[in-house]
Structures are given as C-alpha cells and as structure tokens.
Amino acid sequence: MTALSERFTIGLTGGIGSGKTTVAELFGALGAALVDTDAIAHALTAPDGLAIAPIIEHFGADFIDARGAMDRTRMRQHVFGNPEARHALEAILHPLIRSETLRAAEVASGPYVIFVVPLLVESGNWVGRADRILVVDCPEEVQVARVMQRNGLRRDEVEAIMAAQASRQARLAVADDVVDNGGAADSLPERVRNLHSQYLALAAQR
C-alpha cells in the first residue's frame, strides 16, 4: 500500500449537469482510482452509518427515517435558511467525510487517485490538498437543459440549485485542467484519454 502523500492526486469537480460523473467513469475505465466524496457522504448517513449516532444526539431521532438513515428531505428543510443548523450538520459530516475519503484513497489501487468532489470550490479546503484540480465545464444553459431533462425539474428549480453552487467562473479560476463538456459526447473519451496520459506521466515522477 502506498501512502497518500506519495500518490499523485486530482480533485475533480463541476457544476450540476456538467457531466463530472461521466468524466470520472471514463477515467475509472482507464484505470484511475476513483474516490467519490458524495458516495461517502451518503454511506455515512445510511442505516448504521458513522454519522447516524451523532446526528441523533444533536438533532434528535425525528431526523432519522424508518430505515434508520438520515431523513434527507427533513434535514434539508431544517438546515435551509438556518445557518446554525447547517454548520452543526457540517461539523458532524465534514470530519467524517475527510477521514473516510483519506482511508479510501489509501487502499485504492491505480496509478493515481481522483477525488470526485461536487462541492470542491464551496468546501474551500481542496485546493492545495490535491496535486491538480480538474474542472468539467460547459455553458450554464447546457447545464440547465440537461438537468431539466434528467431530473424533470423546472428551469427555476435548476437555476436555484446552480445559484447555491459556486459560479462557473469560480470553478474555472481554481482549475489546473479543464474538460470542455459542452459539445458532442462522442468527443469526450478522447479528451479524457489525453489527460489520462498526462496524469500517468506526472504520477510516474512521484
């Protein structure tokens, strides 16, 4: 097992509907080790997840559903517009997400590790932790159209989600590399292969 400090690491992010999951899966198919922080967060709040006990202790059993998982809808409604509650939830989740993310990366196999972090810019602590930041980018109008089609949401609902995320400009400002995913999907694999080759060369220098 190689210590994480000796691994070449990439933080991958993008706004909703940008296609970051598709891009991550393409890297994974080429052999990169993927660590999905969103999946880790869901596991922590699933039945018997590490976050369940502290959530019950702080918020009460009313925020746990019949399956024993965090009631995501109720919690979302509770913390929306309530900074104190949101900070309390983050104080529970963020340290656990970080420790589980590092643990997953330590045991991951592959020439380099990609951390898939939807809220990389918003979290404020990923820039500098990863060797490179990769942003999956597309025009905002493309994001809106994709999410409306995929999730069945209204335009104003999608725009509200986007408004709560970092701006396109803020993501691009921290990017070392950018995958343009605003065009034809069939050109995406080649762009990923080119970056994969660059990352393999950089990883070999570690």
Side-chain angles (χ1 to χ4, degrees), residues 19 21-31 112 134 136 146 179-199:
T21 300
T22 300
V23 170
E25 289 172 350
L26 288 169
F27 275 107
L30 293 171
Y112 59 90
L134 171 61
V136 183
R146 284 175 178 164
V179 171
D180 179 359
N181 191 28
D186 56 4
S187 62
L188 198 57
E190 182 180 0
R191 296 187 211 125
V192 171
R193 280 194 299 271
N194 289 338
L195 275 173
H196 176 65
S197 296
Q198 294 176 36
Y199 294 156

Side-chain angles (χ1 to χ4, degrees), residues 10-81:
I10 294 140
L12 184 156
T13 195
I16 187 171
S18 63
K20 58 185 172 296
T21 300
T22 300
V23 170
E25 289 172 350
L26 288 169
F27 275 107
L30 293 171
L34 301 179
V35 177
D36 188 332
T37 61
D38 222 16
I40 287 171
H42 276 77
L44 289 169
T45 57
D48 299 319
L50 293 175
I52 295 300
I55 286 171
I56 292 173
E57 182 178 353
H58 185 89
F59 293 97
D62 289 346
F63 287 89
I64 305 301
D65 65 20
R67 300 180 301 116
M70 182 180 77
D71 187 327
R72 300 180 71 84
T73 301
R74 184 164 192 165
M75 184 63 79
R76 189 181 304 113
Q77 292 170 345
H78 180 62
V79 302
F80 184 77

Side-chain angles (χ1 to χ4, degrees), residues 109-183:
S109 60
Y112 59 90
V113 179
I114 293 183
F115 296 104
V116 185
V117 190
L119 300 180
L120 182 147
V121 176
E122 294 86 339
S123 69
N125 60 8
W126 276 95
V127 177
R129 283 174 57 192
D131 292 305
R132 294 186 78 79
I133 301 298
L134 171 61
V135 170
V136 183
D137 181 59
C138 68
E140 292 175 352
E141 187 56 39
V142 174
Q143 288 180 256
V144 172
R146 284 175 178 164
V147 179
M148 286 176 65
Q149 182 177 30
R150 181 186 71 193
N151 296 48
L153 298 177
R154 302 188 310 271
R155 170 177 286 271
D156 63 313
E157 292 175 316
V158 181
E159 289 175 343
I161 295 170
M162 290 171 60
Q165 295 184 340
S167 68
R168 182 185 185 190
Q169 293 73 21
R171 282 190 295 269
L172 292 174
V174 303
D176 296 297
D177 304 301
V178 177
V179 171
D180 179 359
N181 191 28

